[in-house]
Amino acid sequence: MGEEDVITDGRKARGQRRRAEIIDATLTIVRRDGAAGVTHRTVAKEAGIPTSLSTYYFATLDDLLVAALTSVAENYTARIRGIIDGRDDKLRGLAELIAESAGPGRDRALAERELSTMAARRPALRPVARRWRENVAELGGHCTDDPEAIASLVATSDGLCTAVLLDDMPADVEHIEAVLRRAIGIA
């Protein structure tokens, strides 16, 4: 590896760090002010950088919002993948993940929910916004081969996530699990 490669790798690493900082600033704004509060100017201010740097990394607001939603979606994908690959009781694992939205995972869940809802009006966000539903459907496929039961599980999971965020109080994992089991038709 030559000196030029080291310099290029260093620049690339700095660019990736800067990009991550901008995404984190975007998520902070979504959590605090809602998705409507996200502009290149507000993100740059939150990140402590010039606005031109925000637009350098993310040319459009949709690019920035897609990156922020992707960050959240990747986290949920990894969590659900862990449930699928590492748990015998997959519905219990999903219930625990949904319940986290009422506690330590509330800010992230709220940001994901708001950005996902925004996808109804912003087509660029739709592919990423669908990941939660696709991941829950995959998990459901490990519990049943009935497509209607899987669709019911996906819809129920969406509704439970929204309810947990709206209730703004500790979530009952046992209740969530029971509702998921009923949705998928497992006693």
Side-chain angles (χ1 to χ4, degrees):
M1 183 181 251
E3 185 176 328
E4 188 174 308
D5 292 332
V6 171
I7 291 169
T8 302
D9 286 347
R11 285 185 195 146
K12 186 175 181 180
R14 278 193 306 280
Q16 289 171 338
R17 276 194 309 274
R18 178 64 73 187
R19 208 175 140 77
E21 290 167 358
I22 294 168
I23 291 168
D24 286 344
T26 303
L27 289 171
T28 297
I29 291 167
V30 171
R31 287 189 290 261
R32 184 184 64 223
D33 305 328
V38 175
T39 66
H40 279 293
R41 185 174 312 238
T42 59
V43 169
K45 183 177 179 184
E46 183 68 34
I49 60 171
T51 302
S52 60
L53 199 52
S54 174
T55 58
Y56 171 79
Y57 285 100
F58 302 98
T60 69
L61 197 54
D62 276 355
D63 293 341
L64 183 56
L65 292 169
V66 166
L69 183 55
T70 299
S71 171
V72 175
E74 286 173 352
N75 178 274
Y76 281 117
T77 296
R79 298 286 304 280
I80 292 177
R81 176 93 270 133
I83 294 167
I84 291 170
D85 295 341
R87 296 219 28 182
D88 290 333
D89 191 347
K90 294 171 186 357
L91 293 180
R92 177 65 179 204
L94 181 58
E96 291 168 356
L97 181 59
I98 291 170
E100 272 184 37
S101 297
R106 181 173 171 59
D107 285 345
R108 192 163 269 276
L110 188 57
E112 185 273 340
R113 187 61 42 173
E114 183 154 356
L115 289 168
S116 291
T117 300
M118 183 182 264
R121 293 189 189 272
R122 294 183 103 125
L125 292 170
R126 288 180 190 159
V128 180
R130 289 184 186 111
R131 284 192 194 164
W132 165 260
R133 298 174 60 78
E134 292 164 355
N135 290 327
V136 172
E138 181 183 351
L139 185 146
H142 289 269
C143 301
T144 182
D145 57 2
D146 178 356
E148 289 176 358
I150 293 170
S152 179
L153 178 68
V154 171
T156 301
S157 296
D158 279 348
L160 286 166
C161 288
T162 300
V164 165
L165 289 169
L166 289 174
D167 288 346
D168 199 19
M169 57 188 196
D172 180 351
V173 175
E174 283 72 29
H175 173 72
I176 293 170
E177 181 181 6
V179 172
L180 293 174
R181 288 188 181 286
R182 169 87 41 109
I184 204 161
I186 297 174

